[in-house]
Amino acid sequence: MKRIGVLTSGGDSPGMNAAIRAVVRKAIFHELEVYGISYGYQGLINGDIKKMELGSVGDIIHRGGTMLYTARCEEFKTLEGQQKGIEQLKKFGIEGLVVIGGDGSYRGAQKLTEHGFPTIGVPGTIDNDIPGTDFTIGFDTALNTVIDAIDKIRDTATSHERTYVIEVMGRHAGDLALWSGLADGAETIVVPEADYDMEEIIGRLKRGQERGKKHSIIIVAEGAGTGFDFGDRIKEAMNLETRVTVLGHIQRGGSPTGFDRVLASRLGAKAVDLLLEGKAGVTVGIEKNELVYHDINEALAKKHTIDLEMYKLSQQLSI
Ligand code: ADP
């Protein structure tokens, strides 16, 4: 293999730049040529492809977003779209591809591999919902952004003695809600992976009220329902002044944490090593701090789960 490509696809996440940098530098270290494909699979179809040098990825390790931009591309879900992509790769003499993105992007990567074009997936999403890795690139940064926001809301919640409902991202996964809730001592965390009992939630809030708690914080994962719906239900049941905050896209931005920069650097470099070893259709990941890789199809067939012990602990610590 003499020439590889790299693209970012789907939702962006902080640390994608550090991953691109690692792919480019590790490839050049191995004397490969590297091409950057802008705007994900859409850019691949359009031939938006440029050679990258060592300096192309200078001064990006600390920046959020992705210097290669990202896009969603319906056409790439069709055989015709995939064939157009492969034609472009052939035109540029690219022999292997690293795709940094979430599970949708992985399905595209898997299709390329099935058509005989070796592709490796690097998990980049704040949702932490890709099986085959303990952490995805961007999760830790988003977690810290959420913690920072909740700390600020806590100040005003205490001052006004109010109940706050905070809706956090995560798509169908509750990791961001669970981790931020545990880190911030939330009274209640609502995640899609665990059933909740509204009466139990109300009982918990009432007990807090009775022992003189100044405020309550309830974290709702977007996959479990809307913050506004929970806010209305609590207000109705308790006759309590309730405020709802939907954190939204601030969770996707910002300079990546040290953890995400290191994770992105390790995973990006590992993807290049795997291409050189002749691997294809695999996702790289980190498990118990060891670099691992798994078949993309097998990984995506697994159901995402949260750490139920952690969920139980969050309940025990907020009795
Ligand atoms: P994410 O990668 O963040 O999960 P999406 O689910 O939007 O984001 O997927 C990103 C892109 O991956 C899609 O716009 C599409 O181009 C490609 N993709 C998603 N699913 C498939 C599929 N089944 N086959 C081929 N390409 C796909």
Side-chain angles (χ1 to χ4, degrees):
M1 198 170 279
K2 289 266 167 275
R3 194 175 283 179
I4 66 165
V6 57
L7 63 80
T8 50
S9 164
D12 66 315
S13 74
M16 278 185 163
N17 276 329
I20 296 167
R21 174 181 177 272
V23 170
V24 170
R25 298 254 166 113
K26 189 70 188 275
I28 294 174
F29 171 83
H30 285 305
E31 297 178 349
L32 298 173
E33 286 185 340
V34 203
Y35 281 70
I37 299 153
S38 296
Y39 300 104
Y41 295 121
Q42 190 61 57
L44 177 60
I45 289 175
N46 296 346
D48 201 343
I49 302 172
K50 284 192 195 75
K51 185 159 187 244
M52 297 183 88
E53 310 291 350
L54 286 175
S56 314
V57 289
D59 207 25
I60 63 164
I61 196 166
H62 61 302
R63 293 186 203 277
T66 158
M67 67 164 297
L68 288 176
Y69 306 100
T70 180
R72 295 205 155 86
C73 172
E74 281 304 307
E75 192 182 355
F76 201 73
K77 292 182 181 171
T78 66
L79 178 61
E80 205 196 350
Q82 292 153 18
Q83 281 167 343
K84 279 190 198 166
I86 289 175
E87 271 166 37
Q88 292 288 1
L89 290 164
K90 285 193 179 145
K91 195 169 117 192
F92 283 84
I94 297 168
E95 298 159 285
L97 181 66
V98 177
V99 170
I100 306 164
D103 60 351
S105 305
Y106 271 34
R107 288 182 211 286
Q110 180 58 26
K111 286 285 181 241
L112 287 174
T113 302
E114 282 167 20
H115 299 318
F117 194 88
T119 305
I120 309 274
V122 175
T125 164
I126 64 163
D127 304 330
N128 210 38
D129 61 348
I130 310 250
T133 187
D134 292 343
F135 297 104
T136 58
I137 298 165
F139 172 69
D140 185 63
T141 306
L143 169 63
N144 282 284
T145 302
V146 173
I147 291 172
D148 183 52
I150 297 175
D151 286 347
K152 288 179 173 132
I153 291 170
R154 178 190 284 277
D155 289 344
T156 181
T158 311
S159 306
H160 288 278
E161 304 196 2
R162 274 181 188 145
T163 298
Y164 267 81
V165 177
I166 300 161
E167 181 188 310
V168 305
M169 280 185 164
R171 291 207 304 172
H172 305 296
D175 294 54
L176 205 45
L178 174 59
W179 282 67
S180 61
L182 194 53
D184 250 297
E187 271 64 39
T188 295
I189 304 169
V190 188
V191 292
E193 295 88 348
D195 293 335
Y196 65 88
D197 176 354
M198 206 60 202
E199 278 184 19
E200 196 269 328
I201 293 176
I202 302 292
R204 187 185 288 266
L205 289 174
K206 283 195 173 143
R207 285 198 300 277
Q209 224 179 14
E210 279 157 21
R211 70 174 173 88
K213 276 199 77 150
K214 296 280 183 236
H215 62 256
S216 296
I217 290 182
I218 295 148
I219 312 231
V220 178
E222 65 178 345
T226 72
F228 283 103
D229 180 41
F230 275 89
D232 286 345
R233 286 155 79 186
I234 289 164
K235 201 168 164 183
E236 208 170 288
M238 294 192 61
N239 200 21
L240 251 189
E241 180 99 47
T242 309
R243 289 281 187 274
V244 178
T245 303
V246 180
L247 292 182
H249 280 81
I250 61 161
Q251 295 163 95
R252 288 249 289 265
S255 177
T257 58
F259 181 87
D260 273 331
R261 295 181 200 192
V262 171
L263 178 67
S265 301
R266 293 175 76 190
L267 294 183
K270 179 74 178 173
V272 175
D273 287 342
L274 289 174
L275 275 179
L276 283 172
E277 284 169 26
K279 300 283 187 308
V282 297
T283 163
V284 292
I286 187 173
E287 286 172 345
K288 299 188 174 78
N289 203 28
E290 296 276 333
L291 292 176
V292 294
Y293 63 91
H294 299 283
D295 182 89
I296 286 182
N297 273 342
E298 282 172 23
L300 291 186
K302 286 197 186 127
K303 201 169 174 283
H304 172 76
T305 52
I306 51 162
D307 186 332
L308 286 172
E309 285 303 317
M310 249 173 77
Y311 181 69
K312 265 192 239 157
L313 177 64
S314 76
Q315 290 182 317
Q316 290 163 357
L317 298 186
S318 61
I319 38 172

